[in-house]
Amino acid sequence: MNSLYNRDIISIGDLSKDEIQAVLSQAAEYEQRLARGERHALGQVLQNRLLATVFYEPSTRTRLSFESAMNRLGGRVLSVAEAKTSSSAAKGETIYDSGRMLEGYADVIVQRHPAIGSARALADAAGVPVINAGDGAGEHPTQALLDLYTIQREGAGGMQGAQLRALDGLHVAMIGDLKNGRTVHSLSKALSHWKVDLTYVAPPELAMPRDVVSFVTGRGATVHESDKLSDALQSADIVYVTRIQQERFNTVEEYMKYKGVYVVNAAVVAQAKPGVAIMHPLPRVDEIATDVDQLPNAAYFRQARNGVFVRMALLSMVLGAV
Ligand code: CP
């Protein structure tokens, strides 16, 4: 049995390098099988298995790609898209009690919640695997997996190709609200399994949390920090842009101080290393101009699509189908 069988996926730090590579390999296999039209065979993999998606915060990609993944593998989905208002959380039910209920309804639970630590709290209560789909400004481990998959798949020409890019030796720049953006926390930790250079570009007030910097430097990553976009462009192979996380600010005025602080447009991309891949977990607000969308370097829509293959892999591994 694979080592992720029956496991909770709460932090990317819980997965070894081998386990991450196993997920990426399985995702590649599913992508190839879908491309070959093996829909019927794939639809047998998780037949009669049930996924519950419980989202207390908005989502397009994470919830729908998990549900797409489960459906493509023949499983079924129970979904609460607005759990804050339409589940019994609105009546005061605790995460613990929700977990004790959901374990009887589904074989695996995917939860998004605004509180750091909420995924761990659910996993402690539920007797079925829990996958963290984002816990506030904490982590987003499945986004990190699809980001790694995308980085490997984006060739040096900025297009998705058959040749996998090596992760050792990569220079990855992360730009934006690195304090509140959970995707960059998880991606940094995931990348630190390899020999990478990381450049963090953020206003000082929105810098990468010190515990994440300590984690990655402790594993041997080189970290450079700056508040200038130009510092991200000089030699980066990957420019990973994030939005300013409006929902984590106490007031609109506070958010407006940072909105629009960095904008990557086609002119900016032209100054970057040739073949740079521009990534973004999405949704974007204004930090990547639409004139980037037509460039071969724009990887973010391919990145979102890759989420289906990676989540197919993760669901089938956690449920012991591979
Ligand atoms: N990247 C991501 O988590 O997108 P959603 O918020 O739409 O799920």
Side-chain angles (χ1 to χ4, degrees), residues 55 58-63 112 133 140 143 182-183 281-283:
F55 278 58
S59 169
T60 298
R61 277 147 294 276
T62 310
R63 187 170 66 82
R112 172 172 289 183
H140 196 346
Q143 178 74 41
R182 55 197 171 204
T183 68
L282 303 178

Side-chain angles (χ1 to χ4, degrees), residues 280-317:
H280 192 307
L282 303 178
R284 70 173 152 184
V285 181
D286 53 9
E287 58 281 349
I288 297 182
T290 53
D291 65 2
V292 178
D293 296 358
Q294 306 312 318
L295 302 178
N297 316 72
Y300 30 94
F301 295 124
R302 295 189 288 274
Q303 181 183 352
R305 183 168 180 271
N306 289 336
V308 176
F309 315 128
V310 169
R311 288 169 175 135
M312 287 171 77
L314 203 53
L315 288 170
S316 61
M317 293 173 82

